[in-house]
Amino acid sequence: MENCIFCKIIKGELPSAKIYEDEETLAFLDIQPVQLGHALVIPKKHSDNFSQSLSEVINPLLHVCQKVGEAVKKGVAADGYNVSMNNGEAAGQIVHHLHFHVIPRYFNDGLKPWPHKKYKEGEIASVAAKITREL
Ligand code: AMP
Ligand code: ZN
């Protein structure tokens, strides 16, 4: 992918603070971290997003997220970490090369989780049914 910044990082055409690499995967630090040590885990083979990625691509990435997550946690003395992924522009995806975020977290770090809604009476079952029909 010619204009993909993450493909350029993989090819060494753009710099990155690389923290892990194997045959299929690269992990490097996000340049605009939520917390210091915030890492991105990406496949070396370009894939636009999670929806379009094969399990052969996703599975090794998750394994590396765990490995990197544990190293990030120890490396920056965090209390935990989030593994997250924005799938599609509506979900906040800016870079269209599949990537997982590994974000170190601290007790009382002030990062508020998403606000929660409530289901109306009976609504949870109908929403579950709508989703189940698609599986
Ligand atoms: P997303 O919103 O899930 O697409 O996240 C893309 C992430 O890539 C953002 O958190 C950016 O800060 C990060 N990012 C963009 N360009 C670079 C770069 N050249 N090196 C490291 N991280 C980058
Ligand atoms: Zn790419």
Side-chain angles (χ1 to χ4, degrees):
M1 294 295 288
E2 267 176 32
N3 291 318
C4 172
I5 52 172
F6 287 178
C7 281
K8 286 184 178 166
I9 286 174
I10 291 160
K11 285 188 264 175
E13 294 170 7
L14 282 178
S16 71
K18 195 191 294 182
I19 55 171
Y20 176 84
E21 181 172 19
D22 62 29
E23 257 183 42
E24 301 155 309
T25 311
L26 183 69
F28 53 96
L29 296 187
D30 193 304
I31 40 164
Q32 287 192 296
V34 173
Q35 299 273 19
L36 303 191
H38 175 172
L40 299 172
V41 178
I42 69 172
K44 287 187 174 173
K45 189 173 181 309
H46 180 95
S47 191
D48 281 356
N49 57 39
F50 189 68
S51 297
Q52 289 171 4
S53 298
L54 299 171
S55 53
E56 296 95 276
V57 175
I58 295 166
N59 294 349
L61 276 188
L62 283 174
H63 177 68
V64 174
C65 283
Q66 185 187 41
K67 195 180 178 73
V68 164
E70 294 303 314
V72 164
K73 187 178 166 198
K74 287 186 190 140
V76 298
D79 300 312
Y81 56 92
N82 290 116
V83 175
S84 68
M85 192 265 310
N86 302 324
N87 184 48
E89 285 177 15
Q93 185 176 6
I94 295 166
V95 176
H96 294 275
H97 180 127
L98 174 65
H99 55 281
F100 283 91
H101 296 257
V102 177
I103 303 171
R105 296 296 306 272
Y106 300 89
F107 291 118
N108 304 317
D109 62 17
L111 293 173
K112 299 247 187 301
W114 289 329
H116 290 264
K117 296 188 174 186
K118 283 201 162 95
Y119 285 106
K120 294 181 203 127
E121 181 84 33
E123 197 178 27
I124 194 164
S126 71
V127 172
K130 280 185 207 166
I131 296 168
T132 306
R133 275 202 293 274
E134 302 298 331
L135 290 168

